[in-house]
Amino acid sequence: MVSPATPAVNERESFLAVFDAITADVVAELKTYNVPQDGIDHVKNMLNYTVPGGKLNRGLTVPSALRSLLKRDLTKEELFKSQVLGWCIELLQAFFLISDDIMDGSITRRGQPCWYKQPTIGMIAINDAFICEGAIYRLLKKHFRSTAYYPELLELFHEVTYQTELGQMMDLLTAPEDNVDLSKFSIEKHAYIVEYKTAYYSFYLPIALAMHMANVTSDAAFQQAKAVLLPLGEYFQVQDDYLDCYGSPEVIGKIGTDIEDNKCGWLIVQALSRANAEQRKLLDDNYGQKSPENVKVVKSIYEELQIADIYHAYEEASYERISELIEQIDETLIPREMFVVFMNRIYKRKV
């Protein structure tokens, strides 16, 4: 059984200490392309605003998982390289979040205005998102080109990026803001969106990167990892859906807008599967509307249907199910410990 925990302070501080080196690498690349100083200053400001402000669980998982895989402390070089890979994931996260905030018309992110909401930024943020993505491959080339697993790193980042974009596409197609049609929503559609939009890049990617660094080549090992990490990613996203509705903006660092944005989230698909005719009509009439009054109606239906209680039951069941999956892992292929650490970081999280 696993218990709640947070990343050790020294792990986080060590990881954050590398960010200046990451920024320096990106800036050095810009100079080779003769980027004027105002462009360099813009990129530095953008990276500092959009990349390191989150919980960093994805990035922190890479060195933690590598330590578990090697069953020893990391050398200075191993630690640095695994942290570089961790920051590549955080750059990927920034690429997705900058874009997602624009598409959703979001207001805040990580307790501050979204990047595109900055007075001098606006739609420049679209290109900034592309720069975040491009920086990943510049860093991989600089730090990993001489390694035997460099091709696998490139393939993995490209594959996971594409999978995430497919999940985002289905999220947008299922729930366009200007055409609310709850008949498009289903538990199955939500599961697809969650797997492709969140689970691969947030859960499978950091573990798979560490496995490549540890020279794990067994297909069976990667399949076992995926069998745990995709359900873990689903659990994480359902938590996120719950916190969007019930979490405090001061605590979670953003204003939840899933109801206003017509999102095919876990709460609404659960409500639709349980609503009577009158409740369904109220959901049809009020979901996806920007007015606080409409949102209040939807939340009142959630209360009538006891969706919060259903979520808490789901959380406990998921915890037990994923713990059992971890117990089934063949430790001759991969250690269970790294999955326990990952689970610890998200179980009953509040932000």
Side-chain angles (χ1 to χ4, degrees), residues 57-124:
N57 282 342
R58 297 167 182 84
L60 284 164
T61 295
V62 183
S64 173
L66 182 60
R67 195 176 297 112
S68 295
L69 286 159
L70 297 179
K71 297 182 172 61
R72 58 171 172 78
D73 289 337
L74 304 182
T75 67
K76 186 176 180 180
E77 181 181 6
E78 288 167 344
L79 177 61
F80 178 73
K81 282 184 175 293
S82 64
Q83 290 173 329
V84 169
L85 288 178
W87 281 114
C88 285
I89 301 176
E90 296 299 331
L91 280 163
L92 186 65
Q93 165 83 334
F95 165 51
F96 292 143
L97 295 186
I98 293 169
S99 306
D100 194 58
D101 286 342
I102 295 170
M103 286 182 269
D104 289 348
S106 298
I107 305 300
T108 59
R109 172 69 66 180
R110 295 169 173 170
Q112 59 186 358
C114 297
W115 176 241
Y116 83 100
K117 284 290 187 181
Q118 292 297 298
T120 61
I121 303 303
M123 292 303 103
I124 295 172

Side-chain angles (χ1 to χ4, degrees), residues 258-271:
D258 282 1
I259 293 173
E260 296 94 320
D261 293 341
N262 190 34
K263 287 294 183 184
C264 180
W266 188 86
L267 304 183
I268 185 64
V269 298
Q270 295 298 320

Side-chain angles (χ1 to χ4, degrees), residues 159-172:
E159 175 74 7
V160 169
T161 300
Y162 189 56
Q163 288 169 319
T164 308
E165 289 162 350
L166 292 177
Q168 175 72 345
M169 177 187 71
M170 292 311 304
D171 189 15
L172 296 169

Side-chain angles (χ1 to χ4, degrees), residues 273-339:
S273 71
R274 293 168 167 81
N276 60 33
E278 180 183 356
Q279 291 167 330
R280 174 57 188 257
K281 186 175 190 311
L282 286 169
L283 291 172
D284 284 329
D285 292 343
N286 290 278
Y287 199 80
Q289 307 301 318
K290 300 295 185 184
S291 164
E293 288 73 23
N294 295 114
V295 174
K296 186 176 180 181
V297 171
V298 173
K299 289 187 176 182
S300 71
I301 300 298
Y302 288 173
E303 289 179 13
E304 290 174 13
L305 295 172
Q306 300 180 310
I307 298 298
D309 292 338
I310 294 166
Y311 164 76
H312 292 304
Y314 164 87
E315 182 175 46
E316 292 305 317
S318 294
Y319 173 81
E320 296 295 335
R321 178 169 62 100
I322 295 167
S323 296
E324 289 174 7
L325 289 171
I326 292 172
E327 288 298 317
Q328 293 169 15
I329 286 174
D330 181 355
E331 287 209 286
T332 64
L333 296 175
I334 44 175
R336 296 178 189 138
E337 177 193 0
M338 63 181 178
F339 300 98

Side-chain angles (χ1 to χ4, degrees), residues 121-142:
I121 303 303
M123 292 303 103
I124 295 172
I126 297 173
N127 196 64
D128 290 337
F130 297 156
I131 289 173
C132 286
E133 184 192 26
I136 295 167
Y137 298 98
R138 312 311 300 177
L139 290 167
L140 292 177
K141 182 178 181 180
K142 176 174 181 178

Side-chain angles (χ1 to χ4, degrees), residues 45-61:
N45 182 36
M46 181 270 293
L47 292 175
N48 278 286
Y49 194 94
T50 63
V51 180
K55 296 178 288 295
L56 306 177
N57 282 342
R58 297 167 182 84
L60 284 164
T61 295

